[in-house]
């Protein structure tokens, strides 16, 4: 059984991971909307950075659902790897 401090850290870690994925998903969908409007776009560096900061699952879901950045080799490789890293971080929190 984990102590109170450990449980608080576990919950905080989970909240941060979930928040990072929601933020990453939002950025990808927002960039897709901006692309459709022909407006100023978010940089690819920003999208990749959000994915690497434990937002890989949100990025991957956004790529699949919004069909955004699916043809770019960089995104085809980095986003699934960052999703795997996010899953590993989440599992590490639980162990």
């Amino acid at each position: 059984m984990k102590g109170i401090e450990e449980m608080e850290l576990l919950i905080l870690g989970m909240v941060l991971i979930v928040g990072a994925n929601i933020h990453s998903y939002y950025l990808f969908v927002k960039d897709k909307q901006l692309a459709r409007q022909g407006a100023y776009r978010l940089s690819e560096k920003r999208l990749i950075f959000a994915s690497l900061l434990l937002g890989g699952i949100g990025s991957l879901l956004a790529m699949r659902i919004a069909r955004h950045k699916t043809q770019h080799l960089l995104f085809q490789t980095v986003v699934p790897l960052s999703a795997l890293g996010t899953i590993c971080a989440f599992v590490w929190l639980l162990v």
Side-chain angles (χ1 to χ4, degrees):
M1 188 166 162
K2 295 188 177 196
I4 302 241
E5 294 85 16
E6 289 182 36
M7 290 300 290
E8 289 174 351
L9 287 175
L10 173 69
I11 292 169
L12 177 63
M14 288 181 175
V15 167
L16 289 174
I17 290 174
V18 170
N21 282 284
I22 290 170
H23 178 71
S24 181
Y25 182 88
Y26 169 79
L27 289 178
F28 272 74
V29 171
K30 183 65 176 175
D31 189 54
K32 177 71 173 193
Q33 290 172 345
L34 293 171
R36 286 182 177 163
Q37 297 169 357
Y40 179 76
R41 307 268 306 275
L42 300 175
S43 71
E44 289 187 350
K45 286 180 186 178
R46 185 173 182 181
L47 296 174
I48 291 291
F49 190 65
S51 182
L52 291 174
L53 287 178
L54 298 178
I57 296 170
S59 299
L60 189 61
L61 286 173
M63 282 180 66
R64 300 293 182 233
I65 293 170
R67 300 194 47 78
H68 189 52
K69 300 289 186 187
T70 57
Q71 301 299 315
H72 296 263
L73 182 60
L74 177 65
F75 286 88
Q76 289 176 349
T77 55
V78 171
V79 171
L81 289 175
S82 66
L84 181 61
T86 302
I87 291 168
C88 289
F90 194 79
V91 169
W92 180 78
L93 277 175
L94 296 175
V95 174

